Amino acid sequence: MKKKTSVLRFAALSMALITSMLLYAKMKHIPFPPPGGEVSSNNAEGEIPMVYENLYNAKALTPFFEKLKALDTLKDRKLNIVHIGDSHIQGDAMTSQIRQRFQSQFGNAGLGFVFPYSLIHTNGERYVRFSSNITWDSQKNTSRDNTGTIGIAGYSLLTNNKNFVIELNIKNKDYLFNTLRILTPNNQHLFDLATSKTGVSLKPAPTPKRVSYKMLSHKVQKGETLYALSKKYKTTESKIQKANNLRGNTIRVGAILRIPTEERVVAAPSVASSVELDNFEPLLKNSVSPLGYTYNNLNGLDKIYLTPNSESSNFALNGIVLENDQNGIIYHAIGVNGARFSDYNKCSLFFEQVPALQPDLIIVSLGTNETFGKLSAAQYDEQVRIFLQQIRTQYGDCPILLTSPPPSLFKRKIPNHLCEEYATILIDNAIKDNYGVFDLYSILGGVEAMPELIKQNFISNDRIHYTHEGYVSQGDLLFEAIKNNYLKYKKQSK
């Protein structure tokens, strides 16, 4: 029964893909390729990239395919894939499936990048568990200021309390680690890595509810709606209406609106249960480099502790990288709930820390939040270009694969046509800007996708996010597209 259901789902998605690609071909006046085929054409807008197995301009990924072939043949190296995105990625459902598929075929070289999301009360820890004796402050790249300490995670973990311990515990024994790297702003030595002499049970401190309300001003621009402003500022339409004495949803271009936002503008006091730091044995770091403070030869640990460096007084953690002593694939997942390209673009430390992960392929899945902010395709494209430029400034011409945002609905009922516009502009610029495109929007069925996605229980009730099953399906689709294009490259390079 399960096999029959899977076949039906595949058939439904395949039909949706064919329909969407026919529409795209018609819109661009290009010939539609036969199944498994590829096509390229020229039109007034420029060269249309070849598409094979749902991936456009796979030629841009050739350097990655070359390294993957060497790993596949010689089993002599580690390859790093870095997947950056928004809430679709932070939950690590889609990326977990891709990670497992890659590692089952090419080898498991470690879990990769992790961040203590639970310590800032958000989602994201699938294979690790973090706990601490204190309440931590944090920063997020969707904030409008104070982005200086926000690095590769899109978040930063902060405190000035010098009596803390962070416990890292591996939940999945497939990801025991031999090497650990600590990432901090400007590679400062803020944390020591330690083992416990006696064993310790950390009970997380209670979260103090100290929230201040901040009122912002916004000048209404042409095309903006009350709903879009509520999403942009993470508030509600009713709160904006109440703050401005609005009786309806109509807002006038040029009007100055008061926007009530709920922000922690006063840092929460650090609540702590004291720990005896003498009960922890600091480990000697093996090296210090732009890759972070590195600890090797950890002998397959499943638990470790971060303690304060006694010479520091302010502490900021950008993330931790876990590896084992095997060759294979490391798949790093980096997601920020609510993030857009522009949120990453304003955080210089994020781009400065990209080289710390040594990516051989960078995958970027952003765009959903831009659509709900009603960003035009041209504005979206501008932010994409800024992002790519900063990546390449810091890390050179690493192969990059962009994915179009998946189908969604405005207000749970109105088709989100901006997803299609974003997908089109990504594909149109793929050759000129030298990146590949996985058109997730069209593969899932495009504007006609929603009835089938709901029927298959692939999309959640908000009609923006997807169910675990839906994200797993997306992960399989993306992996298969990369794998099939790799096999095509491998066959042609013989």
Side-chain angles (χ1 to χ4, degrees):
M1 182 68 183
K2 185 176 181 181
K3 183 176 181 181
K4 183 178 179 181
T5 303
S6 298
V7 170
L8 289 172
R9 288 175 180 168
F10 177 78
L13 290 174
S14 297
M15 289 302 297
L17 168 63
I18 291 170
T19 300
S20 300
M21 291 184 70
L22 282 167
L23 289 172
Y24 181 82
K26 181 179 180 181
M27 180 173 61
K28 292 294 181 180
H29 308 290
I30 58 176
F32 185 71
E38 58 188 12
V39 65
S40 178
S41 177
N42 289 302
N43 62 15
E45 296 177 15
E47 187 177 1
I48 300 299
M50 289 190 293
V51 56
Y52 178 77
E53 296 291 341
N54 309 324
L55 200 155
Y56 290 82
N57 196 33
K59 183 179 179 181
L61 308 186
T62 297
F64 172 70
F65 291 153
E66 290 174 349
K67 295 178 182 179
L68 192 61
K69 182 181 177 183
L71 169 63
D72 199 9
T73 305
L74 304 174
K75 319 292 184 188
D76 65 343
R77 65 193 67 198
K78 296 176 185 283
L79 294 185
N80 289 275
I81 301 173
V82 177
H83 198 149
I84 301 162
D86 47 31
S87 55
H88 296 308
I89 303 304
Q90 182 173 322
D92 196 27
M94 175 186 183
T95 45
S96 175
Q97 182 68 6
I98 304 171
R99 182 185 296 111
Q100 291 178 30
R101 295 290 303 273
F102 263 110
Q103 293 182 339
S104 65
Q105 182 160 340
F106 298 101
N108 174 3
L111 180 57
F113 182 82
V114 295
F115 185 83
Y117 297 104
S118 62
L119 299 188
I120 57 174
H121 308 285
T122 188
N123 63 310
E125 294 170 18
R126 182 167 295 273
Y127 298 114
V128 295
R129 180 184 296 111
F130 286 93
S131 54
S132 181
N133 63 309
I134 71 168
T135 298
W136 291 78
D137 287 328
S138 64
Q139 291 182 348
K140 182 181 178 184
N141 67 10
T142 56
S143 301
R144 280 168 290 283
D145 49 21
N146 297 327
T147 61
T149 65
I150 300 173
I152 191 65
Y155 293 91
S156 60
L157 192 71
L158 307 167
T159 191
N160 57 10
N161 188 326
K162 298 189 69 171
N163 183 263
F164 70 80
V165 172
I166 299 174
E167 179 185 278
L168 186 162
N169 198 345
I170 295 293
K171 295 191 289 186
N172 186 321
K173 301 306 179 184
D174 289 337
Y175 291 113
L176 302 181
F177 55 92
N178 301 86
T179 298
L180 182 149
R181 289 188 280 122
I182 301 174
L183 305 180
T184 60
N186 303 315
N187 217 16
Q188 299 172 77
H189 181 196
L190 304 179
F191 302 88
D192 288 328
L193 195 67
T195 56
S196 174
K197 297 177 183 178
T198 59
V200 61
S201 178
L202 295 179
K203 296 181 179 180
T207 303
K209 295 183 178 179
R210 187 180 176 188
V211 177
S212 296
Y213 291 87
K214 184 176 181 180
M215 193 71 71
L216 302 176
S217 294
H218 178 90
K219 185 175 182 179
V220 178
Q221 305 297 315
K222 184 178 180 181
E224 289 184 324
T225 65
L226 205 61
Y227 177 74
L229 292 179
S230 71
K231 292 300 180 183
K232 178 178 180 178
Y233 291 105
K234 296 176 177 58
T235 184
T236 66
E237 293 173 84
S238 61
K239 287 182 179 179
I240 299 176
Q241 288 171 324
K242 184 176 180 180
N244 296 276
N245 297 317
L246 298 175
R247 294 183 179 181
N249 292 325
T250 302
I251 52 177
R252 179 172 52 83
V253 174
I256 305 297
L257 298 181
R258 300 172 74 237
I259 309 291
T261 64
E262 187 174 317
E263 293 185 333
R264 188 175 289 181
V265 295
V266 178
S270 186
V271 179
S273 58
S274 180
V275 294
E276 292 294 332
L277 294 175
D278 290 341
N279 290 333
F280 296 88
E281 184 70 39
L283 302 175
L284 295 177
K285 57 185 175 295
N286 295 92
S287 64
V288 181
S289 74
L291 303 182
Y293 279 79
T294 303
Y295 298 80
N296 296 315
N297 304 315
L298 299 179
N299 300 320
L301 290 178
D302 65 352
K303 184 184 293 186
I304 203 77
Y305 300 89
L306 271 66
T307 58
N309 173 13
S310 59
E311 297 180 0
S312 300
S313 57
N314 291 289
F315 303 90
L317 179 66
N318 296 130
I320 297 169
V321 181
L322 304 175
E323 301 181 19
N324 59 39
D325 57 4
Q326 303 173 39
N327 292 318
I329 298 291
I330 304 174
Y331 200 98
H332 309 270
I334 297 166
V336 178
N337 293 340
R340 313 176 186 191
F341 275 104
S342 59
D343 295 314
Y344 284 99
N345 287 342
K346 67 188 178 186
C347 298
S348 60
L349 185 59
F350 168 82
F351 295 98
E352 292 170 13
Q353 289 185 339
V354 166
L357 301 183
Q358 301 177 283
D360 299 290
L361 171 65
I362 296 173
I363 303 174
V364 187
S365 299
L366 290 165
T368 293
N369 294 300
E370 283 89 342
T371 66
F372 281 84
K374 300 298 179 68
L375 209 66
S376 70
Q379 292 171 318
Y380 171 75
D381 180 55
E382 181 183 0
Q383 293 299 324
V384 172
R385 290 170 186 267
I386 293 171
F387 183 92
L388 296 177
Q389 181 181 9
Q390 293 193 79
I391 287 282
R392 287 164 174 162
T393 297
Q394 292 292 337
Y395 195 64
D397 291 326
C398 177
I400 295 175
L401 175 64
L402 304 181
T403 75
S404 59
S408 58
L409 297 179
F410 293 126
K411 298 185 178 182
R412 301 181 67 245
K413 60 183 178 181
I414 303 171
N416 185 351
H417 291 282
L418 280 170
C419 293
E420 181 178 354
E421 294 182 29
Y422 290 7
T424 299
I425 203 162
L426 289 178
I427 293 168
D428 286 349
N429 293 333
I431 291 178
K432 177 168 59 70
D433 293 333
N434 191 31
Y435 56 74
V437 177
F438 177 68
D439 188 5
L440 181 60
Y441 175 75
S442 296
I443 292 165
L444 292 180
V447 71
E448 305 294 337
M450 204 54 61
E452 187 65 25
L453 293 174
I454 294 171
K455 179 181 177 181
Q456 297 293 344
N457 192 33
F458 277 0
I459 193 163
S460 67
N461 288 333
D462 66 6
R463 304 300 186 240
I464 301 171
H465 299 93
Y466 284 69
T467 62
H468 178 78
E469 189 177 25
Y471 282 124
V472 168
S473 175
Q474 291 177 29
D476 283 332
L477 289 168
L478 178 51
F479 173 78
E480 289 294 330
I482 296 173
K483 184 192 76 172
N484 289 333
N485 276 272
Y486 160 66
L487 293 175
K488 178 173 177 282
Y489 160 81
K490 188 177 177 182
K491 180 179 180 181
Q492 291 177 341
S493 64
K494 284 183 178 180

